[in-house]
Amino acid sequence: MKKQVLITGGAGFIGSHLANELLKNGYKVRVLDNLLEQVHGENGERPAYLPKDAELITGDVRNRAAIRNALEGVDVVYHFAARVGVGQSMYELQEYTEVNNTGTAVLLEALIENPVEKLVVASSMSIYGEGLYQDASGKHQEAPCRKKEQLKQADWEVHNAKGEKLSPVATPESKTPDLASVYALSKYDQERMCLMVGNAYNIPVVALRFFNAYGPYQALSNPYTGVLAIFASRFLNNKPPLIFEDGQQIRDFVSVYDIARACRLAMETPEAAGEVFNIGSGKSYTIQEVAEKMAVVLGKKYIKPEITGKYRVGDIRHCYADISKAKEILGYTPSYSLEEGIQELAGWLQDQIAEDKVADAKEELEARGLTV
Ligand SMILES: NC(=O)c1ccc[n+]([C@@H]2O[C@H](COP(=O)([O-])OP(=O)(O)OC[C@H]3O[C@@H](n4cnc5c(N)ncnc54)[C@H](O)[C@@H]3O)[C@@H](O)[C@H]2O)c1
């Protein structure tokens, strides 16, 4: 018989791609999602991109009855429902803590009563804070987040105690978490709570630390999510993308299709139980490079990215994934290059009407003293 899978937050960007991946591979998919206005717009309708064979239950993860109902007959759970804005989490503290932390607690209490074969929880690279670095001699070093005083002087790079500049290296799962936002704190909480409770009640749990996901269906109208969607939204409105600091900060952009496959592998691989995996591309790009690549693909080369020299509270300088553990245990190999991914994203974007709320979001952060 086909396995029944539940995806909380499955009407969102990554969840809907996972739904597709699972349906294609012979699983039955149910989604529990409250169709949050910031992601899905005012009407709260079923998103057109959600595969029609996916069953949708509209409900909140904090609601015990909704969770119990959604768990009926379920073999495997993916827990993706979350508030996802790093900046927004620094002033909507209660909302982020309620949805992300309490929502996970409500789900876990229901799973203690109705255990499943596996629980896969979406964690995040944001829990690392700064990625891993090395000094001039090649010795690896963990570095604390940069202090405001340093950033005020537009001194963007990470230094060791002797003041020497450190260079980024791929970040493995063993890097000590350094939580720099309420969002990061809540993702770490979700990850730990799931692993801890799973261990206590013999529910196999896998935590996947996603790096910067991109691809079709990422909410362009949500100014708090992925940088590629934000840049695309600006380009489509013939405005330059706004780049913080000097644009040389490094990130790891991973195609949502690769993430969806990694999620399926996490369910299908028995050895993954109890483990944490980085899910990234393993490649590093500066934010400026990414903006410039996108301008070319969208035919907007004449729009030059605006390097603002400003910074956001909680932002890190460099982080990209060491994916060797996912390669070895899950058999995960990213198959999309950033160029291919942007091309494909561009194809989808042509049909989108991107409402640009980025300026509003920027003003909101500024008004709260969260950007300098
Ligand atoms: N997109 C990324 O780059 C990225 C990176 C790291 C981790 N993650 C994690 O992956 C998961 C999915 O992220 P995404 O990018 O698809 O975000 P998304 O905002 O597109 O999807 C989240 C979904 O959760 C739903 N949701 C929000 N609050 C809810 C609630 N109280 N009850 C039920 N549903 C609720 C939303 O309606 C939305 O459909 C999240 O847990 C996120 O923290 C995403």
Side-chain angles (χ1 to χ4, degrees), residues 9 11-15 32-36 39-40 59-62 80-84 99 122-124 183 187 190 210-213 218:
F13 166 49
I14 300 177
L32 174 70
D33 198 298
N34 70 347
L35 302 177
L36 187 74
V39 180
H40 298 278
D60 199 299
V61 275
R62 290 164 290 182
F80 286 7
R83 298 301 308 263
V84 303
V99 174
S123 183
S124 165
Y183 171 71
K187 294 311 290 180
Q190 284 190 310
F210 301 151
F211 278 63
N212 294 79
Q218 191 157 26

Side-chain angles (χ1 to χ4, degrees), residues 8-16 31-40 47 49 57-63 79-85 95 98-100 103 121-126 183 186-187 190 208-214 217-219 222 225-227 254 256 259:
T8 71
F13 166 49
I14 300 177
S16 62
V31 162
L32 174 70
D33 198 298
N34 70 347
L35 302 177
L36 187 74
E37 184 177 335
Q38 188 166 293
V39 180
H40 298 278
Y49 58 72
I57 299 180
T58 308
D60 199 299
V61 275
R62 290 164 290 182
N63 180 325
H79 183 38
F80 286 7
R83 298 301 308 263
V84 303
E95 171 72 5
E98 280 178 6
V99 174
N100 298 4
V121 60
S123 183
S124 165
M125 53 87 73
S126 66
Y183 171 71
S186 74
K187 294 311 290 180
Q190 284 190 310
L208 301 178
R209 294 177 179 164
F210 301 151
F211 278 63
N212 294 79
Y214 71 91
Y217 318 149
Q218 191 157 26
N222 182 353
T225 52
V227 67
V254 54
V256 71
I259 291 197

